[in-house]
Amino acid sequence: MLLSDIVRQTTLSDLPAIPDMASRAPSITSARTVREGVRIAPVSADAWPLEAVSHPDRKHPTLFFGAPSARRASEYHVSDDWLVTYKRIAWALINHPTPLAMYSKQGARYANQPSAGTVNTFMQGIKRFLDWLDSMGVSTLSACTPDLLDLYAQDIAAQDLSTGYKQAFTRVLYRLHHMGPVFEDHERLCMPGWGDATPFRTGPSGENRTQIVHPETMDALLNWSLRMVRECADDILDAWQREPVKTTPVRGAAKRFIRNWLDCHDGTLPANKSGVDQRYLAYLAGCSENQVKTALKDVRAELREDRTFGAPISFVGSAVIDGRPWATQASFYDLVAGRSRGGWPYWVSHLQTAALIVVTYLTGMRPGEALSLRPGCVEEVPPNPERPEGVLTYLVHGTVLKTRDQAHTESLGARDATWVASQPVVDAIRVAERINAGADYLFTTPHAGKLNLGTANAAINDYANWVNDLVRREGHNGAHLIPADPHGSLAPSRFRRSIAWFIYQEDDGEVALGMQFKHLEHSLGRDGYAATGTVGMANMMDEERARAHLDLLDSVTEFATSGTHVSGPAADRLVDQVGQSRVYLATVTSSRAAQALARDSAFAVFDNRRAFSLCVYNPSTALCSPQSPDGPDTLRCKSNCPNHARTDETVAPLVADLERLRQSLRNPLLPEPLRLRQEALAADRLRVVEDHRDNARFVQLEEAHGEEEP
């Protein structure tokens, strides 16, 4: 199927319906067929040859569903209870394009249509999974839970298999989850806890072993934290710091309030573990707790305590999510008072945690450095009056806790340091200053002073759970939930590694976070600290740059081995470099070796997702940054550069973007300037797709010696 045809198969109604597996419907539809005149088995058959979707120069696999006595059938045969579901999965995998949620995701690399070899490998992985479910007494995919999938991953981990096999057998579950909308309810699988990653990751020895926070988890966590400090903070702090309304003292007013309450609530009063909630009743009545206490004496014998009532108060947040208030339900202890005397309401504590997340993540501070910040740490540096394009700069003054001398032999202890900060960081600091007005530190606890690392770790996990409870309670879209991290508890110590990963692995990472890190190489030194020569963010980012380069080479090599189309002026050089890289990738066993490979001009392949292209960088011909030894400048990429090369996998996300533009252009309310811009972009996208379709050549490298695919 042509790549440009994918845009017409992006909705469920456009996809061919899965036929009855007992019928004579073809196992491969005509739209999916790439070879004419070959046999296509009906779906009721016990064997489905994949010759119609295989390249003519390659052997084609066959999927077997018959009795175990058939040739190789034991590799595919599942129990009769699973047979129909198993065949339906195979049919959808063959005939439906890769779900857009997979191959249009930032950083993802999936072919828009799985090859025959991929189908073969995938179905073997599904067979192993269904056999395991059979042994566990599970009869439907919908009965699976993330915990059960984690148990399956543990079972795979205990098997005597290579890491490649383990990755293959668990990665299929991610794809199966995204195929769910085309299946019946009982055939839909939940998202694995590890998402689009794999529980079995490998990497060079000697590298930083700190686990990154999964990108989907970190993205949701940061988005919610920014929303809290920039949109919801006023709602929370105004409710907390507002003076309680005191009614004019009237003799007997508290008694009448209690009597009215009892009449309206069937003789019960709100209570907690300590008895009747006098603080809550005093807040509602607009009187003192002593007045409530006195009033209760007259009704003590007849009242009943209700510990299920809670302490609800009237609250509607001013910030909105999808056009609705972010919160409409709150309690007295959420916004007004802490459970203990002098303590903070729950939402105030969560607001401070959100501010801590923003500060640590968007500055790259170590947790101890962020927790040592003091109120008033932000300095505003006005723009240079001689440069009209100048902007206001913010500096955050604090302490570096992990520093060594130039020989890296002796610890120098804590030293003063300065970070350049962006507006969101400053907003978070301002919120923390409002919470901790008059305190010695920016992040504190009401009774214990400075917040310690253990408490901060627990607070971040409590915060994530609270956000998810809020989303469910308020009925917000499930897309606003913070997914569980596959590596366990969240901790600010993992944020530094996560930000380095993001910059070098995610689409436009340097653009999105350049102000936080990239320009610090020129202003405050590569580590982001003033006058310090420490090993920190710079080296960590070098590791991630090398890791990203290895991942790219490995990914392109994998697709070239299974077969892909290559186009562009640098297509031949790409094929040559990928062919050579297979030999060297196996020799990379350390972080130093990985960084050396990344600097080798013989393997100068870079991912330019903004241009939906690979850059086979040659500094003498590059139009973006001529003669630069540091690689291409993707922000200055030129469409006529001779270093461009494209594969099916780089063009597939472009197709998804083209469909997005087409859907936008169907909107009759789209402003004319924006329409003209999007029409031009769509025309450019279509030109690239058609050029790849018409001029690409098929490339398939010989299989490397070693283990075969499972």
Side-chain angles (χ1 to χ4, degrees):
M1 180 164 54
L2 300 179
L3 285 172
S4 56
D5 291 339
I6 295 295
V7 299
R8 291 191 290 273
Q9 290 196 356
T10 54
T11 63
L12 293 181
S13 59
D14 293 330
L15 296 176
I18 301 176
D20 181 355
M21 289 299 121
S23 71
R24 300 293 296 175
S27 57
I28 302 174
T29 63
S30 59
R32 181 67 175 94
T33 302
V34 296
R35 295 178 63 182
E36 300 295 333
V38 298
R39 186 172 69 89
I40 297 177
V43 294
S44 58
D46 290 336
W48 295 359
L50 299 182
E51 186 177 5
V53 293
S54 301
H55 192 269
D57 296 334
R58 301 294 295 177
K59 293 182 179 180
H60 66 271
T62 298
L63 301 183
F64 290 92
F65 306 100
S69 58
R71 177 177 173 267
R72 298 182 63 193
S74 59
E75 297 181 18
Y76 303 92
H77 184 72
V78 297
S79 68
D80 292 341
D81 292 338
W82 285 107
L83 183 58
V84 172
T85 296
Y86 186 50
K87 296 180 84 171
R88 284 167 57 83
I89 293 172
W91 194 94
L93 182 67
I94 295 169
N95 295 289
H96 290 170
T98 299
L100 284 177
M102 291 177 59
Y103 70 73
S104 63
K105 180 184 179 297
Q106 289 183 329
R109 288 188 164 274
Y110 295 95
N112 59 5
Q113 202 76 64
S115 67
T118 297
V119 171
N120 183 48
T121 300
F122 183 92
M123 293 312 297
Q124 291 181 43
I126 292 296
K127 188 263 184 188
R128 175 180 281 267
F129 178 57
L130 297 183
D131 285 349
W132 183 83
L133 291 181
D134 240 350
S135 68
M136 299 294 291
V138 179
S139 58
T140 63
L141 291 175
S142 62
C144 296
T145 64
D147 289 341
L148 186 65
L149 299 187
D150 287 342
L151 189 62
Y152 175 66
Q154 295 172 21
D155 182 79
I156 292 294
Q159 301 295 319
D160 186 18
L161 300 169
S162 70
T163 301
Y165 278 90
K166 294 176 181 179
Q167 290 176 333
F169 288 142
T170 52
R171 192 175 283 122
V172 297
L173 303 186
Y174 173 72
R175 188 182 197 115
L176 184 58
H177 161 74
H178 279 295
M179 293 169 65
V182 303
F183 297 139
E184 300 292 340
D185 289 345
H186 69 278
E187 297 172 325
R188 297 177 181 177
L189 185 71
C190 64
M191 171 69 87
W194 54 85
D196 64 337
T198 169
F200 311 104
R201 295 190 62 86
T202 59
S205 60
E207 64 179 328
N208 188 328
R209 295 296 182 180
T210 302
Q211 294 285 1
I212 68 165
V213 179
H214 191 280
E216 292 184 4
T217 303
M218 193 68 240
D219 181 60
L221 183 69
L222 181 61
N223 281 337
W224 261 105
S225 299
L226 289 170
R227 176 184 287 124
M228 290 296 295
V229 300
R230 307 192 79 181
E231 301 176 22
C232 306
D234 287 342
D235 289 342
I236 296 173
L237 296 180
D238 289 349
W240 176 43
Q241 296 167 347
R242 184 184 302 125
E243 289 293 328
V245 177
K246 296 292 185 181
T247 58
T248 303
V250 177
R251 187 177 183 84
K255 292 182 179 180
R256 286 192 294 274
F257 175 83
I258 296 297
R259 284 290 183 188
N260 289 336
W261 182 282
L262 291 172
D263 291 341
C264 296
H265 294 83
D266 196 25
T268 64
L269 288 174
N272 50 40
K273 293 186 296 184
S274 302
V276 175
D277 196 340
Q278 299 178 22
R279 296 170 66 197
Y280 173 54
L281 291 173
Y283 171 80
L284 296 179
C287 59
S288 68
E289 288 184 54
N290 284 335
Q291 289 175 303
V292 171
K293 184 176 182 180
T294 300
L296 289 175
K297 292 179 180 179
D298 295 338
V299 296
R300 181 70 64 182
E302 58 188 270
L303 69 83
R304 289 178 291 115
E305 296 180 357
D306 182 1
R307 297 191 179 185
T308 65
F309 185 82
I313 61 174
S314 176
F315 174 80
V316 178
S318 60
V320 297
I321 298 176
D322 298 333
R324 299 173 50 197
W326 71 278
T328 59
Q329 305 173 55
S331 79
F332 176 73
Y333 297 103
D334 289 334
L335 288 170
V336 180
R339 284 288 181 182
S340 59
R341 297 284 178 177
W344 287 346
Y346 292 132
W347 290 11
V348 173
S349 296
H350 292 316
L351 180 60
Q352 176 179 256
T353 302
L356 176 63
I357 291 170
V358 172
V359 170
T360 52
Y361 188 74
L362 292 184
T363 61
M365 292 184 188
R366 297 179 178 90
E369 294 163 358
L371 296 177
S372 296
L373 293 175
R374 296 177 181 270
C377 61
V378 175
E379 175 189 357
E380 295 185 0
V381 180
N384 188 336
E386 298 179 0
R387 300 183 62 185
E389 73 278 8
V391 296
L392 181 67
T393 302
Y394 297 101
L395 301 179
V396 177
H397 299 285
T399 304
V400 175
L401 302 178
K402 188 179 179 181
T403 57
R404 292 184 176 273
D405 61 11
Q406 292 185 353
H408 298 281
T409 56
E410 181 181 357
S411 175
L412 302 178
R415 299 176 60 189
D416 292 340
T418 302
W419 291 262
V420 177
S422 59
Q423 187 64 54
V425 173
V426 176
D427 292 341
I429 290 175
R430 299 298 188 217
V431 167
E433 288 174 336
R434 289 176 64 184
I435 296 174
N436 293 288
D440 292 333
Y441 291 94
L442 189 63
F443 299 104
T444 71
T445 58
H447 303 296
K450 178 184 175 183
L451 188 67
N452 62 48
L453 184 57
T455 304
N457 289 345
I460 290 175
N461 288 279
D462 289 344
Y463 169 74
N465 292 333
W466 170 74
V467 166
N468 288 342
D469 289 342
L470 176 73
V471 170
R472 297 185 184 100
R473 184 174 66 249
E474 295 288 344
H476 293 307
N477 190 302
H480 295 290
L481 293 170
I482 299 176
D485 184 73
H487 297 298
S489 298
L490 302 171
S493 58
R494 298 171 60 192
F495 291 173
R496 279 167 57 86
R497 184 61 184 269
S498 301
I499 196 69
W501 183 95
F502 182 91
I503 289 176
Y504 288 107
Q505 296 277 5
E506 287 290 275
D507 192 20
D508 289 347
E510 290 192 13
V511 179
L513 296 163
M515 185 173 180
Q516 286 304 132
F517 294 103
K518 190 65 177 176
H519 77 286
L520 301 185
E521 298 181 8
H522 307 291
S523 60
L524 293 178
R526 295 181 67 224
D527 202 40
Y529 301 130
T532 63
T534 66
V535 177
M537 281 301 299
N539 281 3
M540 192 178 295
M541 289 165 66
D542 286 342
E543 282 187 9
E544 291 302 330
R545 183 188 293 113
R547 180 198 287 265
H549 189 256
L550 284 178
D551 287 347
L552 175 63
L553 286 176
D554 185 64
S555 176
V556 176
T557 300
E558 179 182 347
F559 285 118
T561 302
S562 61
T564 189
H565 292 83
V566 182
S567 66
D572 291 340
R573 288 192 288 127
L574 175 67
V575 174
D576 290 341
Q577 293 197 14
V578 168
Q580 297 177 46
S581 70
R582 291 193 299 175
V583 178
Y584 291 93
L585 287 173
T587 68
V588 178
T589 58
S590 68
S591 179
R592 180 175 298 179
Q595 294 183 42
L597 184 67
R599 293 190 297 268
D600 193 332
S601 60
F603 306 106
V605 180
F606 297 87
D607 196 359
N608 186 356
R609 297 176 193 138
R610 292 170 58 86
F612 302 96
S613 171
L614 297 173
C615 175
V616 189
Y617 186 64
N618 181 348
S620 63
T621 60
L623 300 182
C624 60
S625 51
Q627 305 302 327
S628 171
D630 298 326
D633 183 351
T634 57
L635 293 180
R636 300 175 60 190
C637 180
K638 307 296 183 183
S639 60
N640 60 335
C641 181
N643 292 335
H644 277 296
R646 290 188 171 89
T647 67
D648 291 343
E649 292 69 41
T650 62
V651 174
L654 186 149
V655 176
D657 191 59
L658 176 60
E659 172 61 13
R660 177 188 63 80
L661 290 170
R662 286 177 169 175
Q663 290 181 355
S664 178
L665 289 170
R666 296 188 190 108
N667 181 4
L669 301 180
L670 189 68
E672 189 62 21
L674 186 57
R675 179 180 300 278
L676 294 175
R677 170 62 176 163
Q678 291 188 358
E679 285 177 346
L681 285 175
D684 183 66
R685 302 285 192 265
L686 184 59
R687 178 189 60 77
V688 174
V689 170
E690 291 179 342
D691 177 75
H692 182 75
R693 179 195 62 195
D694 297 337
N695 300 314
R697 64 185 179 92
F698 184 78
V699 172
Q700 187 160 38
L701 302 178
E702 291 295 328
E703 293 283 352
H705 295 293
E707 291 183 311
E708 296 181 353
E709 288 291 326

